[in-house]
Amino acid sequence: MTVTWEDLGWERVAAGVGRCRLPVWDCTIGLVAGEGAVLMIDAGSSLAEGAKLGAQARALTGHRVTHLALTHPHFDHVFGAAALPDTEVFGAVGVDALLTRVRDREELREDGVRQGLAAPAAQEAAERLAPPGHLVSGEWTLDLGGGRQVLLANVGPGHTAHDLAVLVPGDPEVVFCGDLVEESGEPQAGPDAVPSHWPAALDRLLDLGGEDALYVPGHGAVVDAAFVRAQRDALAARFGVSR
């Protein structure tokens, strides 16, 4: 029997492109299927969640996850990564150093526990967390086969110092924004945010996708260019950034 996106609680965004919203922190996970290759965007908040996402990806596409793009280094987006074995992992340049340093991994663990992640799950994920093997300084095109190419773009800093966006060409074009864009609440600016550059990062997202693209936020419903533009202007006003 064929498994559909809806059967597993995923939302089909475009042909071969889907996303799901995970419980608790409402983190968005993206999936892009090629011919024999599958890209997952972010990995969830624990090894158990990452393993479940990997199993769902195989059920939906018939293939294991071969590529993983981490939009930014927060626990709810990266702690599931080690549960996806033999996967080529991509992140913005600089995130490798952050995920290698013991003190930074410890801060991620503490943040997860503070936000409600079970302490043993946070500890295990932090211990097994590894830096991406591929670092994106500008743009990187992935060929997933069957005519499916995906563009990874280092558009930050903004929400963090290491923000990576994913453009999936097609009709419509789809841009996975990470937490540069949030729909279910006001964008969160923690101590690692770079507010002075955040509006410019959203300008780069808009340049990537254009007026007719669908924009998938890190938290919340899929939005359009007008929403991203309005959030950019609100962030500029909130942080006193001249545009």
Side-chain angles (χ1 to χ4, degrees), residues 40-241:
M40 182 172 284
I41 300 152
D42 287 335
S45 62
S46 68
L47 294 172
E49 204 161 58
K52 180 178 179 180
L53 290 166
Q56 289 181 341
R58 183 181 286 275
L60 288 167
T61 67
H63 301 282
R64 68 174 181 85
V65 175
T66 55
H67 301 75
L68 172 64
L70 301 176
T71 62
H72 63 286
H74 284 167
F75 83 92
D76 52 332
H77 296 259
V78 304
F79 266 4
L84 301 168
D86 303 318
T87 302
E88 294 189 51
V89 184
F90 296 78
V93 67
V95 77
D96 54 327
L98 187 149
L99 297 183
T100 300
R101 290 190 293 263
V102 172
R103 68 177 184 274
D104 290 311
R105 293 203 308 272
E106 177 62 14
E107 287 179 4
L108 284 178
R109 185 198 66 78
E110 290 176 353
D111 188 41
V113 173
R114 191 164 49 245
Q115 306 232 17
L117 182 62
Q123 182 70 34
E124 183 183 20
E127 289 176 351
R128 291 182 55 186
L129 190 60
H134 303 286
L135 301 173
V136 183
S137 59
E139 296 180 349
W140 190 313
T141 300
L142 291 180
D143 189 344
L144 300 180
R148 171 76 79 187
Q149 291 190 325
V150 175
L151 182 71
L152 309 181
N154 184 337
V155 296
H159 176 67
T160 71
H162 312 289
D163 292 311
L164 188 72
V166 179
L167 169 67
V168 187
D171 185 17
E173 295 198 325
V174 180
V175 181
F176 287 90
C177 308
D179 286 5
L180 285 167
V181 177
E182 295 192 43
E183 185 276 336
S184 56
E186 187 174 85
Q188 299 299 300
D192 57 345
V194 188
S196 61
H197 291 269
W198 201 332
L202 296 189
D203 281 330
R204 287 191 283 275
L205 285 181
L206 290 165
D207 287 342
L208 275 177
E211 195 63 28
D212 298 324
L214 297 177
Y215 294 85
V216 183
H219 303 266
V222 176
V223 300
D224 59 13
F227 182 95
V228 177
R229 193 175 299 109
Q231 195 154 97
R232 175 202 63 192
D233 294 343
L235 285 167
R238 173 181 168 189
F239 296 121
V241 178

